[in-house]
């Protein structure tokens, strides 16, 4: 199975900050990398697909980059509603896998 | 409205069985792959299984292979997850999700259904 490793596992930030989360795959996954946001008690929400394409309705402050094994999710100008847990997920192999998550909380 | 609604969760004893359902509405269900993802209390998301639009292809995570069976009834817009020989570590919220045709990602999720395996 392809292992997905996110860093950091958690971070504290302030409203307006630029936040960067990284995700590394154990082997090349081309651009088959998706990012999700999850808030407590809610289902995950797709933010970014294909490593860098913004899902419809997602604010432009969210962006994704990378290919191969190394990927980044960036939030430019963190908003109060962005405090949540973020997951990367690969859809390259037959068995899809998620990263362990990165919790973004208020500093 | 495009939506998925899971049902069937509950409390089951170790070694027991349960079937989860995922009913779709608002889109052409028979054209989409459907996946199951689970989340143990306080833990991260774990991919479980998937089924092709016509039901001819299924895949499973190693942790559930041989115990779980995914199937679908396109006439009823429903996907099922039959779970046998349940273990305490299967305790989780189970989500079904649709793979978007344009995105090749899980773009629509249900609200989840809770399974507790305990004696």
């Amino acid at each position: 199975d392809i292992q997905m490793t996110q860093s950091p596992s958690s971070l504290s930030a302030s409203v307006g900050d630029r936040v960067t989360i990284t995700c590394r795959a154990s082997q090349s996954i081309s651009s088959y990398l998706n990012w999700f946001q999850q808030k407590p008690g809610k289902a995950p929400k797709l933010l970014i697909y294909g490593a860098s394409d913004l899902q419809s309705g997602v604010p432009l402050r969210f962006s994704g980059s990378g290919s191969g094994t190394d990927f980044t999710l960036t939030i430019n100008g963190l908003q109060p509603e962005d405090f949540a847990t973020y997951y990367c997920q690969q859809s390259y192999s037959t068995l899809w896998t998620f990263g362990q998550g990165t919790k973004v909380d208020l500093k | 409205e495009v939506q998925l609604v899971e049902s069937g969760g509950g409390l089951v004893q170790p070694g027991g069985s349960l079937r989860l359902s995922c009913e779709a509405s608002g889109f052409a269900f028979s054209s989409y792959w459907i996946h199951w993802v689970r989340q143990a209390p306080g833990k991260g998301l774990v991919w479980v299984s998937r089924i092709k639009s016509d039901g001819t292809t299924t895949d499973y995570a190693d942790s559930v292979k041989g115990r779980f069976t995914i199937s679908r009834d396109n006439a009823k817009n429903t996907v099922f997850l039959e779970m046998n020989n349940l273990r305490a570590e299967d305790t989780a919220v189970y989500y079904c999700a649709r793979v978007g045709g344009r995105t090749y990602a899980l773009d629509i999720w249900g609200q989840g259904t809770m399974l507790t395996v305990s004696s």
Side-chain angles (χ1 to χ4, degrees):
Chain A
D1 296 1
I2 297 176
Q3 309 303 317
M4 306 301 293
T5 303
Q6 288 181 233
S7 61
S9 295
S10 64
L11 66 91
S12 296
S14 301
V15 173
D17 283 354
R18 182 184 188 193
V19 169
T20 299
I21 299 169
T22 64
C23 178
R24 174 165 288 177
S26 60
Q27 66 182 74
S28 177
I29 57 170
S30 185
S31 295
Y32 291 90
L33 190 283
N34 309 306
W35 289 98
F36 296 87
Q37 176 194 68
Q38 188 181 32
K39 297 181 179 179
K42 300 295 187 180
K45 172 187 174 183
L46 178 65
L47 299 176
I48 302 284
Y49 62 94
S52 60
D53 290 325
L54 196 66
Q55 171 68 337
S56 176
V58 174
L60 293 175
R61 62 182 179 271
F62 290 92
S63 64
S65 65
S67 66
T69 60
D70 294 310
F71 302 88
T72 300
L73 172 70
T74 301
I75 310 172
N76 278 302
L78 196 67
Q79 296 300 300
E81 59 268 30
D82 300 336
F83 292 100
T85 300
Y86 294 84
Y87 295 90
C88 63
Q89 175 256 318
Q90 65 83 16
S91 52
Y92 177 82
S93 66
T94 299
L95 307 185
W96 293 15
T97 46
F98 288 88
Q100 81 279 15
T102 296
K103 185 176 182 179
V104 177
D105 62 20
L106 183 62
K107 183 182 290 182
Chain B
E1 180 188 3
V2 174
Q3 65 176 353
L4 296 168
V5 178
E6 302 94 337
S7 61
L11 175 63
V12 179
Q13 291 188 340
S17 299
L18 201 67
R19 187 177 79 162
L20 304 183
S21 299
C22 168
E23 185 172 1
S25 59
F27 65 96
F29 177 75
S30 61
S31 298
Y32 291 85
W33 287 72
I34 300 293
H35 292 227
W36 286 95
V37 175
R38 69 185 182 184
Q39 186 170 38
K43 303 297 184 182
L45 301 171
V46 176
W47 182 86
V48 173
S49 181
R50 70 176 183 175
I51 186 166
K52 190 178 178 181
S53 52
D54 61 2
T56 57
T57 299
T58 59
D59 296 292
Y60 301 91
D62 290 345
S63 58
V64 307
K65 197 168 188 178
R67 300 187 299 122
F68 289 14
T69 302
I70 190 171
S71 62
R72 66 192 294 160
D73 183 343
N74 283 347
K76 295 183 178 179
N77 287 356
T78 303
V79 167
F80 304 99
L81 188 67
E82 185 77 39
M83 304 179 293
N84 297 314
N85 192 19
L86 284 164
R87 307 166 179 167
E89 54 265 36
D90 296 318
T91 294
V93 174
Y94 285 74
Y95 296 100
C96 62
R98 181 190 85 168
V99 177
R102 177 178 57 86
T103 65
Y104 194 59
L106 301 174
D107 65 347
I108 302 295
W109 293 66
Q111 84 288 352
T113 188
M114 181 71 202
L115 167 68
T116 302
V117 183
S118 174
S119 55

